[in-house]
Amino acid sequence: MENKVILLNHGSGGRLTHQLIDSVFASRFSNPVLEQRSDSAVMNIGGERAAFTTDSFVVNPLFFPGGDIGKLSVCGTVNDLAVSGATPLALSASFIIEEGFPFSDLERIADSMAKTALEAGVSIVTGDTKVVNRGKADRLFITTAGIGSFRNGRACTGSCEGVKPGDVVIVNGFLGDHGMAILAAREGMTFSADVKSDCAALNRIIADVLDKTDAVAFMRDATRGGLGTVLCELAEDGGVGIEIDEKALPVRKAVRGMCDMFGFDPLFIANEGKVVMVVREEAAPLVLDIMRKNPQGKDAAIVGRVTDEASKVKMKTVVGGTRIISMPAGDQLPRIC
Amino acid sequence: MNIREDFRNYRDCCALAERIRAESKTPVTIMEVCGGHTMTLQRYGIPSMLPETVRLISGPGCPVCVSDIRFIDRAVALARKPEVIIATYGDLIRVPGSSSSLEKERAAGADVKVVWSALEAIAIALANPDKKVVFLGIGFETTTPGTAIGIIEAEKVSAGNFFVLSSHKVMPPVMTALIDEGVKIDAYLCPGHVSVITGSSIYEPIAEKYRKPCVISGFEPSDILQSIWMIVKQFEEKAARVEIQYKRVVRPEGNLRAQAITGEVFEPVDDYWRGLGVIPLSGLKLREKYRRFDAAEAIEVEVEKTKESKGCICGSILKGVAGPYDCKLFAKTCTPDSPVGACMVSSEGTCSAYFQYGDYGK
């Protein structure tokens, strides 16, 4: 191994993170459930199928337009459960707090978690609190875990086995809002006041779709690494090709402007309230219609389709050229979630 | 002006590509000097729209890529000093030196901060009076005025703990050096941002003496397609002129104030380019009057012995005589995650652009 220490980039969610997980964790923890490699582990508990997942949050700043670390920590875990097809039931929340952290901020964050959990219909049922010396952690880190039930009778949508050429790729709205809102907040950019994080629980919009159709072959929430990373993972793991149309990608004008300024590609910018759904072609109009009736899906759009060109993601560009989309390399914005 | 509507317009771009296809008869090799152009070309899939007669090669216009490995080694050595804070543009963090990189030094405890400007580095210096803040000054004519302003500002606010490690370079000498070396270049797609500062006259000798068409291009897809069309027209007419396509920001005389401030702070010096060696008067160093801000002189460090990575052909890629696909390491041992050569690191590097956007599986 050339890199003997952990680099910031190991946490980017991109190629280096995958390598780290493979070489250090997956090989040692190896078991059939872990090998599913989806956002939630789907397993049998007492004879009943359930989903189980966990996520840590280290976002900087703690408060940002459209949300805060508390809201993020509830939504992130709820969404990981929801995209696997499960109904989120209960969460745990663990706090690592730096000595000297203001009580008022902690209360504000806890209020936000309670409100988000209530809205999403989940309970925070257990937790843990640790305080470390000043300087030994940056203010506050939160870890949540959650369990979800499949009593809803739904199929698991977290693995891409069922994805077929001809299927359609849908996202529920504008891309890149979260990443750019964090960047704007960090850099103190005043001109981007209208960019807010899309941080939201997606279990209701997902349930709305799954209640009406069983034509959803795969779902994943496009967080760190953005839509582009999800599509690359899908192409690689599912052995299918994907062709997307740049013209069809929903991106706000302000987000596009910021991306142009900083040289980012909105395809790879983080979201915290976006689900990528792969659905059978004939069901696409229905899914779009259901999504658009939901506040989380007003701007839902078909962005591409699945092809038989194995493991390749291609994009038709706005000017009429074609290019390959590949997994992003570096992490331009650490501590985004 | 709406960039998305006006310059990334499907109809206009297709029409321009159609003109290029109709009018290009003679094979022409065009070098895009600037990394920003390489990015636009790849990002919008423009090569897939061009006829076989038009061949694009990437040039030495990514400042990170052409920087001397000794520059990185010195920055690494400075970063290891406990009293030093390195302030740098993000692109440099992952560039491999002989045995380390700023990214690895940061993981090992060095204070390496990413900044957007020299002025931001000065703010860090003022906030940390017991530290020495070293700003890594890198880039061509475009970014040099920013560093120069930083130095003048540092003097004004008496930031005695602010230093610059300069690797600033100028464009014209390398463009003629490539032709002198025998690299096959029929025309130059000239860098737009550099030209905003310098004006168009710096390319006149290339057009007159070397008879190569030069078109100063913007960075949007329709800018580049229009520039390629302008080059094709000149080439078919056997003309060799300097033309400005990027008229909305480039003036023939350039930005006189920026030129003056650069001239006040910096003077030309022979400089080393990765892959090309020493090119006379192609670099910039601080003038005597401002030498006390020069980190290379003011802060003593022991710089390790230079060790270039084996098998890496960044040098040939920067000269345009080889492409990423010609390199044995490309997409195998050299990837953006663990780059071997500088061209794979910078977001504007040729290898990085091809890896990210190109069909490297083919």
Side-chain angles (χ1 to χ4, degrees), chain B residues 287-331:
Chain B
R287 285 188 188 279
E288 189 61 50
K289 189 175 159 196
Y290 298 99
R291 201 65 56 79
R292 69 177 178 285
F293 291 105
D294 189 344
E297 296 198 6
I299 308 173
E300 213 170 293
V301 282
E302 200 166 312
V303 181
E304 66 188 299
K305 198 162 166 279
T306 311
K307 205 169 71 223
E308 296 268 3
S309 34
K310 264 197 193 144
C312 172
I313 61 163
C314 271
S316 306
I317 290 171
L318 291 165
K319 276 196 270 189
V321 297
Y325 301 125
D326 301 318
C327 180
K328 284 199 201 90
L329 309 182
F330 179 72

Side-chain angles (χ1 to χ4, degrees), chain A residues 20-35:
Chain A
L20 171 76
I21 293 171
D22 285 340
S23 68
V24 180
F25 302 126
S27 56
R28 288 174 173 82
F29 303 160
S30 171
N31 62 65
V33 180
L34 182 65
E35 260 132 52

Side-chain angles (χ1 to χ4, degrees), chain A residues 218-231:
Chain A
F218 170 77
M219 280 189 283
R220 185 159 288 175
D221 53 339
T223 53
R224 248 179 346 181
L227 172 66
T229 300
V230 171
L231 296 178

Side-chain angles (χ1 to χ4, degrees), chain B residues 1 10 44 48 87 111 118 121 140 148 199-200 215 218 242 264 275 278 288 352:
Chain B
M1 186 169 69
Y10 179 80
Y44 291 94
S48 73
D111 200 346
F140 300 109
S200 57
V215 174
V242 178
E264 158 72 21
V278 174
E288 189 61 50
S352 160

Side-chain angles (χ1 to χ4, degrees), chain B residues 200-247:
Chain B
S200 57
S201 61
I202 60 165
Y203 310 110
E204 293 295 348
I206 298 169
E208 278 167 28
K209 188 171 152 214
Y210 294 89
R211 302 288 306 153
K212 308 285 180 194
C214 292
V215 174
I216 298 167
S217 177
F219 292 86
E220 293 299 326
S222 62
D223 286 328
I224 294 202
L225 282 162
Q226 187 181 23
S227 300
I228 292 173
W229 175 56
M230 289 162 80
I231 287 175
V232 164
K233 275 208 303 190
Q234 281 201 44
F235 196 68
E236 292 295 333
E237 287 166 17
K238 300 197 164 36
R241 295 184 300 273
V242 178
E243 288 184 287
I244 306 175
Q245 179 278 333
Y246 202 19
K247 282 198 172 119

Side-chain angles (χ1 to χ4, degrees), chain A residues 74-318:
Chain A
V74 172
C75 294
T77 291
V78 164
N79 293 347
D80 279 349
L81 292 170
V83 294
S84 71
T87 303
L89 296 178
L91 304 188
S92 74
S94 300
F95 301 85
I96 297 172
I97 312 167
E98 185 188 10
E99 179 187 22
F101 188 71
F103 240 90
S104 56
D105 282 354
L106 194 59
E107 283 166 343
R108 209 175 133 199
I109 288 163
D111 281 340
S112 163
M113 291 175 78
K115 180 168 175 274
T116 310
L118 185 69
E119 285 166 3
V122 296
S123 311
I124 300 170
V125 293
T126 183
D128 183 48
T129 308
K130 298 277 191 299
V131 177
V132 298
N133 308 63
R134 196 184 280 272
K136 300 297 174 190
D138 188 7
R139 292 162 298 157
L140 175 68
F141 299 149
I142 301 179
T143 299
T144 52
I147 52 167
S149 145
F150 280 95
R151 276 197 196 153
N152 54 31
R154 289 180 204 137
C156 167
T157 46
S159 113
C160 45
E161 278 161 27
V163 172
K164 286 191 308 209
D167 288 351
V168 167
V169 183
I170 297 178
V171 292
N172 61 312
F174 290 111
L175 300 169
D177 290 3
H178 178 71
M180 288 302 107
I182 296 284
L183 178 67
R186 244 185 245 174
E187 299 295 325
M189 284 184 287
T190 46
F191 60 86
S192 53
D194 49 340
V195 181
K196 282 195 181 65
S197 167
D198 60 344
C199 178
L202 295 167
N203 54 328
R204 297 207 190 271
I205 184 172
I206 289 173
D208 285 353
V209 172
L210 296 183
D211 282 347
K212 301 255 170 49
T213 174
D214 54 5
V216 177
F218 170 77
M219 280 189 283
R220 185 159 288 175
D221 53 339
T223 53
R224 248 179 346 181
L227 172 66
T229 300
V230 171
L231 296 178
C232 289
E233 287 168 349
L234 174 59
E236 212 162 287
D237 300 343
V240 291
I242 297 166
E243 199 168 291
I244 57 170
D245 182 1
E246 189 175 17
K247 256 199 333 281
L249 297 178
V251 182
R252 279 180 216 282
K253 218 173 141 183
V255 168
R256 199 175 288 282
M258 285 183 71
C259 281
D260 279 347
M261 206 170 92
F262 289 99
F264 296 144
D265 188 336
L267 255 186
F268 294 106
I269 301 294
N271 312 281
E272 286 295 342
K274 290 293 145 2
V275 57
V276 184
M277 273 193 200
V278 179
V279 307
R280 304 286 179 239
E281 190 177 13
E282 60 277 10
L286 172 71
V287 171
L288 271 185
D289 193 52
I290 300 167
M291 279 191 169
R292 284 176 182 159
K293 285 189 183 131
N294 191 295
Q296 244 72 64
K298 282 200 311 290
D299 304 290
I302 294 177
V303 294
R305 57 182 59 242
V306 178
T307 68
D308 53 10
E309 212 182 337
S311 306
K312 218 163 248 183
V313 185
K314 279 189 177 172
M315 180 165 87
K316 189 97 189 143
T317 70
V318 282

Side-chain angles (χ1 to χ4, degrees), chain A residues 2 15 260 262 317 323 329, chain B residues 8 43-44 104 116 336-337:
Chain A
E2 194 220 341
R15 262 189 295 259
D260 279 347
F262 289 99
T317 70
R323 71 152 157 109
Chain B
R8 296 175 196 171
R43 179 167 177 172
Y44 291 94
K104 288 180 187 163
W116 300 95
D337 301 320

